[in-house]
Amino acid sequence: MVFGSFVVSPLGSLSPQQALVLANVYLDNAWNIKDTDIALVLCHDTEVSLSRAKKAAKHFENQIVIGDIADAYASLGKLLEERGHGGGAQASYRKATKLGWTQDRHAMFSPPTHTARSLDVSESTSHSPQTKRHDIVTIPAHIFVKNIRPPAVEFKPPEAYGRLSNTQQLVYCLSLLQASHSTDNILEPVAHRWLQATLMDTEEQERLNTMATEVIRVFKRDELKDAKTVTEVVRLSPVLNKDAFHGLLSEFYSGIDHSGLLNFHQLEGLAQLIQGADPGHLSADDLVKILDLLSKRLRDTHQQSTHHLRQLTIAVSYVLDAMADAKVTGLDRETLHEPLSAYLKELKGRSDAYLVYQAAYAYQALLCIPDNETAWQAAMRRTGKVVQGVAGLASAVKGLDLIKFIEGLEDIQKGIGGASMVVRVIKTAYDGVSTLASSGQSFMESLKEGLSFDRKRDWYSALRGADVMIRDGELATFRKLVCEAPCRLDPAFQWGVCQRLGEIAANPSWDVLTRRSAVEFLGEIYQNDTAWGQQASIKQWIINILMQLASSSGMSLEFADALLLELKAVEDDKKKALYRECLKQGPTSYPLKLTPSETGSQSLLDRVQNRPDVEGNLRMMKKQRTKEQGSAVYIPPQAKASFQAADDARFPLMEKVKEFLNSEQKVFLLLGDSGAGKSTFSRELEFELWQMYKTKTGRIPLHINLPAIDKPEHDLIAKQLRRDEFTEPQIRELKHHRKFILICDGYDESQQAHNLYMSNRLNESGEWDAQMLISCRSEYLGLDYRDRFQPAERNRISESSLLQEAVIAPFSLDQVQSYIHQYVSIYQPMWQTKDYKQALELIPSLGELVKNPFLMTLSLDVLPRMVDPGQHLSATRITRVGLYDHFVEQWLERGKKRLGEKELSPQARDEFEKLSDEGFILNGIEYLKTLAVAIYKEQSGHPIVEYSTLVDEGSWKAEFFSRKDKQLLREACPLTRNGNQHRFIHRSLLEYGLARAVFDPQDRKNRTAPNPRLGRRGSVSSILSMESQDIPYQEDSVSSQAPDPNSPLVWRSIVDDHSLIQFLEERVLQEPAFKDQLLSYIECSKTDKKWRKAAANAITILVRAGVQFIETDLRGIQIPGADISYGVFDSVQLQNANLRKVNLRGVWMRQTDLSGAQMTGAQFGELPFLTEVDNVLTCSYSPDGKSFVIGLENGDIITYATSNWEKTRTWKAHPRGVLCVEFSPKGDWIASSGNEPEVRLWNPETEVGERTFNAHARFVSCVAFSPQGDQLAFGGADPIFGLWDVATGDCRQTFAGHTETIMCVVFSPNGNQIASCSEDCTIRLWSVETGACGQVLLGHDNHVWSVAYSPQGDQIASASEDTTIRLWDVETGICHHVIADHSDIVGDIVYSPNGDQIASGSKDGTLRLWDPETGACRYTLTGHVDAISCVSYSPKGDQILTSSLDSTARLWDVSAGASHFVSLGHSAEISGVKCSPSEDLIVSGSTDRTIRLWDAGSGKCRQTLTGHGCGIFTVAYSPQGDTIASGDELDSVQVWDLETGALLHVFNGHSDSVNCVTYSPQGDVVASASHDRTVILWDLQSGESSGILEGHTDTVLSVTYSPDGSRIATAGMDMTIRIWDVESKDCVQVLEGHTFWVRDVVYSPLGDQLASAGYDNTVRLWNLDIAECRLTLNGHNDRVSCVAFSPQGDVLASGSWDKTVRLWDVASGESRAEIQNFQDILKCISWGGTLDAGCLITGCGNGSLLKWEIIKEGDQYRACLNWSATNGALCVIGANVQGVRGLTSSNKQLLNQRGAVGEPEHLLRETSKKVVTMASVVSKLKTSDRAT
């Protein structure tokens, strides 16, 4: 046995051998049991145990055990086969075979016998026939399966001369020293080293012994001597020398003898002292003297309470037990034996059942004392002293020989006390015992019938043996004793057994399985009358024990509750009556013997070591913190690994945090939106940790409200402890000797930028030992936030594995329902649960709001107030700011009511009446607003105000917290106070207060709000200047009021305060007056720079609210620092505007005039790309990040400097194309490969190749340096790849196993492994040292192009031609995630340097960033117009380099600040768009596999439909507008219900992609055109095909119905248009004329014409009467992809690959308008319908959806953008940047590449101006100095 954990763990911690033994026990019972159902349950348990054994055996590489497991699996298979469970049998055989079992051994297996021989309970415990004179019963096999280690506390030896944590550790150390000769070979290494060192150090030995003596000395001087100190000092008894022991014994004796009132703590301590003593320390005289004392006290206590008698009788029993163990003989019968015997007999008449039993037990012990030693005594006698409860020392106790013990019980009446007389063996008198069948007696009477006071009984001896077994953890032996003891049916024995089982179940030191077994054993005795009899007393006793357990806390509670419910359901009428009677009486007093509590006074050892007492303060802290938790509603939150993680990737947050606390990680970062429940969770976590806290040894949970701590970046823990009134000595004690769990709440509110873990030097030598959980609002952090939280080991760089993150997920529907139920139950509001649920179902947007826990609280509180009686719920509109409005007003109303009912002073009453007359609610809101403004203005938004009357009188704080006229308002407002600290009850209320100070709707209720002039459908037209082009300037169109100069928008920038902006953006949507106010700030900034901060705030709010600026005059506006990212500024005038440091990420500025604007520091969030002369096939960053290299298809290798984008080197390297380039880890080499059998090494500093490796393959596709740079691996056309020495050029190793071309090789971070992927669809992991293939990863169903290791080396990512990415576990080879978001081949994949992100490049042209833990897509970056061939991260991870077949290399900035953009558009090309018949909705389909429904007026996405497993090529609306049809790139046609979003039909009849779908005019048929050259007509009623149109000789690209439904027109790649008769399905006309594919065809509204779009760059109009082309419309200079007639049929719109839309006059064929500067090619087009004939919808290849207003001006048309829904790509096509100032060269290049026109001003000129300006300032200062 080794010194280690002595606590039995669940199945997961069993060794392979232990798990196999358990499996065999289950298997034995399964073979032997007749009931098949039970046998199958046991088979399942066998399978679980074998699975655990197999996993553990593999981990320890135990081949012997693996062979045994294989045999067991085979035996299990045979058993299942015989029981008719063929499927399970085959599965077991397969597992056996996999582990090495062979089929030819199948016949060898027969039902096993005694497979549990390896258990502690072996066959040797079976009795010979002559010893089996009594019945033996069996109990379920899973109860007490095996002997285990008894509960014990683990200790580590202290450092030499170090402080000891507690007395148990001192006992442990002294025990090791005293038993060194017998324990040396079983010690763990740490203990062994300590022992050897201490044996050589006599001074340390003396110190430890002296410390034990000092503990006794302190105990003697302690006047209280409570249970804690008694328990502590008694633990020393096994290690004391004889003199010290006798001194302690005398102290106990004297204390009992001289105390007036009996000290039960000392009494019990005396018994425990005797039990634990060294046998040589106690003499018979000592024990006789003690018993004499106790006997007298017992008689003296005769008139005292039953409780006193019971306690004293228990103590007497302990002493008598000890005397029996110590073989004391010759008691004085007259003075001691007989009087005590007589008194114990008298107690039989008592009414207390437990007292009667304990008296009988003591009497039996007394009868044993005069006897000579017998077999049972010999078996139980201690072979040495016992150190109980200390891990590792229980092995000193010899186990019982069960056979001899039971034989001794049967012979117990023979040879008593050495007398020669033979006493008759008394048979247990069962006949006189009352049974259930005849029970009419009371509980007490039935008990007394079974207890004997007149003769020695075997049950006492059996229970003494049971105690030893339980003490030593021999539970399986105990079970066997109980089942086989001759006194098994004796009520006293059963009573004692049940008592011991109850104590095991109630003791938390035992493991869960053991405690459950104890409860189940009780149930077995209760229910199995055949085996255990029908004694009513025992049944009642069991119920009593279970009720005691159920009323306690801990694991036993649920076990006992479950069993009580089971017993209640027993159908036996007598038992039912008994059960009811027991419940009626309730549980009687039942003193469970448990581990003593460690509460009370300071420990004796602490006093010896002069350690300050901290436990008292910690108990007070625990009490206070748990009390503060209260009974608020709490729903356990779910979390995700990141915001982008899918909803199905949620996990229970509490479980994840507890996993973290049990790991080596140091910091847990908890993110979430405002109100997500971070603080609530933090308090609940603290509460649970306090419940688990163990005195002295446990980690201390410390909740820290960061905003309340001054400068938490230093001395954080000490500052909090001082707040909790700990003294400096106590703080030092905690710092050096205790561990903490820090729960730091409100990182954002404390406005931190420090790494608190690092600045507080946690876990450094001599510093605080702590793990940290820290919460923060997600919007407070940018993309590069990890450095603020990443812990680092001392003298080492940060390790990402020490930091864990989680994001609190919004409430699920189930959580919302649970919250409502709890809320109604606790608070009992006006509404019932059903009312709230109905509101959630019917009120639009409410369901989304209540996913936020704080908003949920607000909603439930104010909903009854917000919804008027009888109001139709579906007409109710609720917003976040509306909830806060009502919540604050309701809070103030309640405060007013409370104050009105309160006894106020006359002065306060007058003030209250005055406030009420003026409007108490209005005054309260004004107080809230002004306080919020003051907090932001005076302390920069820090939420906690500390106010002291002495210090702050006369300051701004006194205005709110001192003045008596404000006291009533302060009491009524939603504020909370803690000492001198004041704050709003939630941070969001502070932000709400400031937002209401910016704009308060009540301030303007009685004013007529001016209406801003809105452009088309919500856009802002030019209302700010008279130069507006299309809307006449009206003087009253701008607010007649001047902007408020005192507004917070004027003096504070709120651009980055996202929660505050959220309130204000909702106000914009609700209050036109506020929108007008914001616009006026922008207008005023044109002429006065004092408004520029307000203007920057204003335009940020407007953009965030979705306001789009279209053709607006914003000339000269000053908005430095604004955030207008992803805003729409189409055709806007921004000449000479101040746009310094404006965030322009993803902004839409098509055709915007920026000429003369100041744009220094403007951020576009993107970098320019490099255009090369040929396709760029590969790229790589240098290790220092100062350069990068690319390889071209023409064979060139080029390096660029990242500082200035200048080309530094060019090598003519591989004439047939460069396939791979790679920098070495030190940057001293570049390796390259190409379409030839060579790998070359280049020196980056020269233009000469240095070395060539011959690869012996047609081409080399991949190269990789080892982490040390000394080896090079490369592979290609040959399925074998090699490992080469860089210095010598020698081949060190070859790797064979792939069967096709190797696409990629990569080294693991530690260099011990190589991963390779191939066209054979596999990934293989190889040992670098041996060349052996360790694992083959299977899953991809097409070529695997790329593979990458995570920086930690525990995960692999792979990219494949099957369009998926897979994430694999390196150790197990299991694929954890399959990502299928790309729409084409994924060509490359790479991890970020710190491993928190994965980047992939695809043939679909997109670069996507993924979460490596969840597989969720974080960002999609678009810009390439062809396949991405390679992806490379910069060393810092802030930029990504991509190469592409569009002949460009791009640098992407992935750290340009957090993006608050939620994609409005598709992430891939829009392939179809249609307007609904009712014209309120627009449907779009995309190759991103989604269908989206858009609000036609606002452009908001209402719904997203997902179900297609691939790209969607086409969509169509039904004529009724109730369904949508869609077709995808495989072969599927799907029909959707619009109201529910449900999928109604899936038609699979085509054999290739579906290119177009359309409804018949009646809506009963859907026609689909396919790449398989057919058109299928689908009957929606029957769900079947109603006909197939065949005749095209190539792909059919388009299909459409004539208006009357009698004809169908189709067009395709065969360059024809065909007209079909619907009824006959015959082709009636073929129209020819196009010279390339016909991509689209459409009927005119009257059905007399057809329009067609051709890839020959033409649009054609066809006269159907004569089947001829009437007009050919030329104007597009690239393929025409789509056409659409206007509802009146007079205008035809066409979209083209030339990125334009043209409007044609149908009659003349003349072009009437051209819409230019689209970002990408036009893919689809649709008119708005008959009611909205002036609107056109366009869909582009980049996923942008645009709605245009078509305005007729004479015979021409003009298109004005109405709204746009984009995917966030920067658009500056046609933007005028002439003379723009301050642009960096890279930004100039970026704008030029993105289609901007004009020449910006050179930056040098601006710099020179600054220099001149600075020079003049310096000159003026010097002049001023001279003048002074």
Side-chain angles (χ1 to χ4, degrees), residues 1279 1297-1304 1316-1325 1335-1347 1356 1358-1364 1366 1368 1373 1375:
H1298 286 294
T1299 59
E1300 293 189 41
T1301 297
I1302 295 171
M1303 303 299 294
C1304 181
S1316 62
C1317 62
S1318 166
E1319 288 187 351
D1320 63 9
C1321 308
T1322 69
I1323 301 152
R1324 293 177 179 263
L1325 308 184
Q1335 289 194 73
V1336 180
L1337 309 183
L1338 302 173
H1340 287 292
D1341 54 18
N1342 210 328
H1343 303 166
V1344 186
W1345 284 64
S1346 181
V1347 65
I1356 281 178
S1358 59
S1360 170
E1361 194 166 334
D1362 63 10
T1363 75
T1364 71
R1366 291 177 180 258
W1368 313 79
C1375 178

Side-chain angles (χ1 to χ4, degrees), residues 94 190 222 420 614 718 941 977 1062 1285 1297 1367 1489:
R94 281 196 299 271
V190 174
D222 183 64
S420 59
V614 296
R977 177 178 178 179
Q1062 189 175 358
D1285 187 291
L1367 304 183
R1489 309 179 187 184

